[in-house]
């Protein structure tokens, strides 16, 4: 008869959680602040370009919302990837 390992609920915790150094915390905070400001800058930069995009692509004003949504979705996807990389580097 083989013994099964305990379930995660029953597994005792032998060591306390890891603490981040103050330098690493400061670097992570600055990366997150930079990402947030970059997101705000990108959204502010695309709004004045919407009329020019409408004219050059020959689309209606209601269709330009899809361009803005696609731009924001693409940028958010890349932002999530960068956050994942930052998380992996932090541990």
């Amino acid at each position: 008869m083989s013994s099964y390992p305990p379930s995660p609920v029953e597994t005792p915790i032998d060591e306390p959680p890891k603490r981040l150094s103050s330098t690493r915390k400061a670097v992570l905070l600055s990366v997150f602040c930079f990402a947030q400001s970059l997101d705000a800058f990108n959204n502010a930069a695309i709004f004045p370009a919407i009329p020019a995009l409408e004219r050059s692509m020959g689309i209606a004003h209601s269709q330009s919302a899809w361009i803005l949504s696609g731009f924001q979705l693409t940028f958010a996807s890349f932002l999530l990837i960068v956050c994942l990389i930052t998380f992996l580097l932090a541990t």
Side-chain angles (χ1 to χ4, degrees):
M1 180 182 252
S2 65
S3 64
Y4 296 103
S7 71
V9 176
E10 298 171 354
T11 305
I13 299 174
D14 294 333
E15 57 189 52
K18 294 180 181 177
R19 301 284 183 198
L20 295 176
S21 68
S22 60
T23 305
R24 185 166 277 190
K25 286 180 185 179
V27 168
L28 288 173
L29 180 63
S30 63
V31 167
F32 291 144
C33 289
F34 177 71
Q36 182 67 31
S37 64
L38 189 62
D39 183 39
F41 175 75
N42 279 334
N43 287 334
I46 194 70
F47 287 127
I50 289 176
L53 287 171
E54 289 174 355
R55 284 190 303 273
S56 68
M57 298 176 82
I59 59 174
H61 182 69
S62 61
Q63 293 172 330
S64 66
W66 288 102
I67 294 173
L68 181 62
S69 296
F71 175 78
Q72 290 176 336
L73 182 64
T74 304
F75 184 77
S77 299
F78 285 120
L79 193 60
L80 285 174
I81 292 169
V82 169
C83 288
L84 176 65
I85 292 170
T86 305
F87 176 74
L88 292 174
L89 291 175
T91 56

